[in-house]
Amino acid sequence: METLTISTNKKSQIPTSWYFIDEEDWADEIDYFPGEYDDEDSKESNFCDMLDEVIHLNLDNAINRLDSVLKKFPIHHISVNVDLMGMNDTDAFCLNSGSYQQSGENNIGIGIGPGMVKSFLEKHFYANAYTNPYYELNFDHELIHGMDQNLWAYNPKGINPETPKEFIVNYLLKYQSEGLACFSTFLRGMLAEKSFNQAANKFQKNWAIVTSLSEQNPENWQTISNKLKSHSYDPYNLGPMMVLQALNVKASQDNDLEQIQLLTKAMNIEVLTNDEINQLIIAGLELSFPEFVNGLHKPDASGRSFMPKEMLLPALDQVNSWTNFLTEDQQKKSEERTPISTLEAELESIKHIDDEMLELKKLELDYNITIGKEYQKYQIKCDEFYQQIL
């Protein structure tokens, strides 16, 4: 297992800002975190200074580790959202601002929960404190998410899958996106399933649950979705090996012997250098979503595949052929949804009226128009995926 080294010499060139998610009550949480701060008059200020130091230290370490990746997939601004109260019930999360496609710049938001903050402060204040490598590498995980344009193309913010066809796209994408984001830990010998056969067997059992959909019972796929909640960690546990196999299939098709050799080392859980890890992360970011899914059933150079073609493709073909497949609740929502053209006409009729009472309505209309258009693009993207796979 690689020992993580800390470097404070090389400073990040990525503009970074941070703020508290709870802007009002965050100060009440200070006493629950490591460290001693000055008297009440300056406690909040001292805590913020210390938090600023450890956030930039750990983020800079992650940026340094991913240096060659970031050169190829640049991030232009990072906003760190500090959740001291654990309101998001997660250690970390990534939010893409959505500005990449409009401005050509990739600006991302990374949220960190109380577990990460506590770990960072313990390491700062107590020299012998144990720091979970998971927390040390969590910034790497979220930065990889921030560079992953597959994730944002097939999972736009504010959009939830409404049909089995979209649900399965979302389900498979989760394994690719989380599997790739876990490379920084998995390829250092930490976390996740390290046996190819066990990972394949576990995923195939999950896939049998996912695809037990019934066209005669539209409510059934919602039941399946609920059942899968107990497997919510599987994309993190099984995903890394799945992405490596998809990369192996792609390298085999390209007859890239050097990449095959590196992937063999990775899949055998051999020690890799930081440069080798970054090389595989870059390859993962260049792997399209259809290539990932095809890489699950196609054989690599050795003839091995992650799952039988007969298990994967018929299920995708089945849900792709279903039309107007909505539960009663979704059918009702669909019928009640106002057409985008109607929303645009309503906004046009009031946008020039200077009335504070209408400002909230303008924002609401603008939001609903944006989400409606994003969902239309999402539907097109899903259709394109099925066309490429089947």
Side-chain angles (χ1 to χ4, degrees), residues 207-266:
W207 186 248
I209 297 173
V210 172
T211 55
S212 59
L213 303 166
S214 170
E215 190 172 11
Q216 288 72 42
N217 178 16
E219 303 287 344
N220 186 46
W221 77 276
Q222 290 283 28
T223 303
I224 292 169
S225 177
N226 292 334
K227 188 185 295 186
L228 286 169
K229 288 179 181 177
S230 63
H231 298 270
S232 60
Y233 189 71
D234 282 352
Y236 305 84
N237 188 39
L238 311 180
M241 191 61 76
M242 295 167 72
V243 176
L244 287 176
Q245 175 62 8
L247 290 174
N248 202 12
V249 169
K250 184 178 181 181
S252 298
Q253 291 173 337
D254 296 339
N255 198 29
D256 188 340
L257 300 182
E258 183 179 336
Q259 185 77 335
I260 292 172
Q261 185 178 23
L262 176 57
L263 285 160
T264 301
K265 283 179 62 178

Side-chain angles (χ1 to χ4, degrees), residues 286-300:
E286 292 174 337
L287 185 74
S288 73
F289 181 48
E291 285 177 327
F292 167 73
V293 175
N294 275 325
L296 298 180
H297 72 85
K298 290 184 176 181
D300 58 25

Side-chain angles (χ1 to χ4, degrees), residues 163-176:
T163 67
K165 179 177 178 176
E166 296 162 4
F167 169 75
I168 285 185
V169 167
N170 185 269
Y171 180 78
L172 289 170
L173 179 66
K174 188 81 171 172
Y175 281 88
Q176 181 183 10

Side-chain angles (χ1 to χ4, degrees), residues 157-389:
K157 62 181 180 180
I159 304 300
N160 294 310
E162 295 187 2
T163 67
K165 179 177 178 176
E166 296 162 4
F167 169 75
I168 285 185
V169 167
N170 185 269
Y171 180 78
L172 289 170
L173 179 66
K174 188 81 171 172
Y175 281 88
Q176 181 183 10
S177 63
E178 295 300 348
L180 174 59
C182 285
F183 267 22
S184 211
T185 48
F186 178 74
L187 297 177
R188 289 181 168 87
M190 309 170 206
L191 308 175
E193 177 58 66
K194 296 173 178 60
S195 163
F196 178 92
N197 289 335
Q198 289 189 36
N201 289 336
K202 289 176 182 176
F203 179 76
Q204 288 175 34
K205 288 178 181 177
N206 287 352
W207 186 248
I209 297 173
V210 172
T211 55
S212 59
L213 303 166
S214 170
E215 190 172 11
Q216 288 72 42
N217 178 16
E219 303 287 344
N220 186 46
W221 77 276
Q222 290 283 28
T223 303
I224 292 169
S225 177
N226 292 334
K227 188 185 295 186
L228 286 169
K229 288 179 181 177
S230 63
H231 298 270
S232 60
Y233 189 71
D234 282 352
Y236 305 84
N237 188 39
L238 311 180
M241 191 61 76
M242 295 167 72
V243 176
L244 287 176
Q245 175 62 8
L247 290 174
N248 202 12
V249 169
K250 184 178 181 181
S252 298
Q253 291 173 337
D254 296 339
N255 198 29
D256 188 340
L257 300 182
E258 183 179 336
Q259 185 77 335
I260 292 172
Q261 185 178 23
L262 176 57
L263 285 160
T264 301
K265 283 179 62 178
M267 296 176 82
N268 289 335
I269 320 300
E270 296 180 24
V271 176
L272 303 180
T273 66
N274 191 74
D275 286 344
E276 288 175 325
I277 291 171
N278 283 354
Q279 183 178 332
L280 291 176
I281 293 172
I282 290 171
L285 290 168
E286 292 174 337
L287 185 74
S288 73
F289 181 48
E291 285 177 327
F292 167 73
V293 175
N294 275 325
L296 298 180
H297 72 85
K298 290 184 176 181
D300 58 25
S302 70
R304 183 173 68 170
S305 62
F306 197 80
M307 65 190 301
K309 177 180 180 179
E310 298 74 21
M311 177 179 283
L312 179 68
L313 295 188
L316 292 174
D317 189 38
Q318 182 184 37
V319 296
N320 186 48
S321 67
W322 291 343
T323 57
N324 199 29
F325 191 102
L326 298 173
T327 65
E328 286 186 17
D329 181 53
Q330 289 169 332
Q331 186 67 45
K332 183 179 179 181
K333 287 181 180 178
S334 178
E335 292 170 354
E336 293 174 348
R337 187 175 289 144
T338 306
I340 293 175
S341 59
T342 302
L343 296 173
E344 289 178 325
E346 185 178 355
L347 179 59
E348 183 65 28
S349 69
I350 66 171
K351 71 178 185 179
H352 299 296
I353 300 175
D354 187 12
D355 185 344
E356 290 185 7
M357 299 295 291
L358 289 176
E359 291 307 310
L360 188 60
K361 183 64 177 178
K362 292 177 186 177
L363 291 173
E364 180 185 352
L365 287 168
D366 184 64
Y367 174 79
N368 288 332
I369 291 167
T370 301
I371 291 297
K373 289 181 176 179
E374 285 296 323
Y375 183 61
Q376 287 180 339
K377 288 191 285 187
Y378 171 66
Q379 289 176 307
I380 293 171
K381 200 72 178 173
C382 285
D383 288 340
E384 290 174 348
F385 163 75
Y386 283 97
Q387 289 168 7
Q388 290 178 274
I389 293 296

Side-chain angles (χ1 to χ4, degrees), residues 19-254:
Y19 65 91
F20 294 108
I21 289 180
D22 186 338
E23 296 182 355
E24 295 181 358
D25 300 325
W26 65 266
D28 297 337
E29 305 297 314
I30 293 177
D31 291 339
Y32 295 100
F33 290 89
E36 295 183 3
Y37 306 96
D38 292 341
D39 56 65
E40 290 298 319
D41 291 338
S42 56
K43 182 166 74 170
E44 293 178 12
S45 175
N46 290 334
F47 181 77
C48 287
D49 288 343
M50 190 53 59
L51 200 53
D52 181 79
E53 182 175 338
V54 297
I55 285 173
H56 282 92
L57 171 64
N58 286 276
L59 184 57
D60 283 350
N61 287 332
I63 289 170
N64 292 342
R65 282 190 293 269
L66 294 170
D67 183 57
S68 60
V69 187
L70 285 158
K71 285 178 180 176
K72 192 152 192 177
F73 299 91
I75 292 173
H76 301 86
H77 184 270
I78 302 170
S79 174
V80 179
N81 312 322
V82 181
D83 180 13
L84 290 186
M85 300 178 71
M87 294 185 294
N88 287 278
D89 194 29
T90 184
D91 291 312
F93 55 91
C94 180
L95 295 170
N96 187 286
S97 70
S99 65
Y100 183 85
Q101 292 165 332
Q102 287 118 30
S103 69
E105 293 191 349
N106 186 14
N107 303 320
I108 70 168
I110 295 177
I112 59 173
M116 279 186 70
V117 174
K118 181 180 178 183
S119 177
F120 291 166
L121 290 172
E122 282 180 342
K123 185 169 185 176
H124 178 84
F125 283 108
Y126 312 117
N128 296 323
Y130 169 75
T131 302
N132 190 328
Y134 167 76
Y135 287 127
E136 277 200 83
L137 293 167
N138 236 345
F139 271 137
D140 302 49
H141 184 108
E142 305 308 333
L143 286 169
I144 293 170
H145 274 323
M147 291 182 277
D148 185 357
Q149 291 305 311
N150 270 323
L151 178 57
W152 309 116
Y154 286 95
N155 186 31
K157 62 181 180 180
I159 304 300
N160 294 310
E162 295 187 2
T163 67
K165 179 177 178 176
E166 296 162 4
F167 169 75
I168 285 185
V169 167
N170 185 269
Y171 180 78
L172 289 170
L173 179 66
K174 188 81 171 172
Y175 281 88
Q176 181 183 10
S177 63
E178 295 300 348
L180 174 59
C182 285
F183 267 22
S184 211
T185 48
F186 178 74
L187 297 177
R188 289 181 168 87
M190 309 170 206
L191 308 175
E193 177 58 66
K194 296 173 178 60
S195 163
F196 178 92
N197 289 335
Q198 289 189 36
N201 289 336
K202 289 176 182 176
F203 179 76
Q204 288 175 34
K205 288 178 181 177
N206 287 352
W207 186 248
I209 297 173
V210 172
T211 55
S212 59
L213 303 166
S214 170
E215 190 172 11
Q216 288 72 42
N217 178 16
E219 303 287 344
N220 186 46
W221 77 276
Q222 290 283 28
T223 303
I224 292 169
S225 177
N226 292 334
K227 188 185 295 186
L228 286 169
K229 288 179 181 177
S230 63
H231 298 270
S232 60
Y233 189 71
D234 282 352
Y236 305 84
N237 188 39
L238 311 180
M241 191 61 76
M242 295 167 72
V243 176
L244 287 176
Q245 175 62 8
L247 290 174
N248 202 12
V249 169
K250 184 178 181 181
S252 298
Q253 291 173 337
D254 296 339

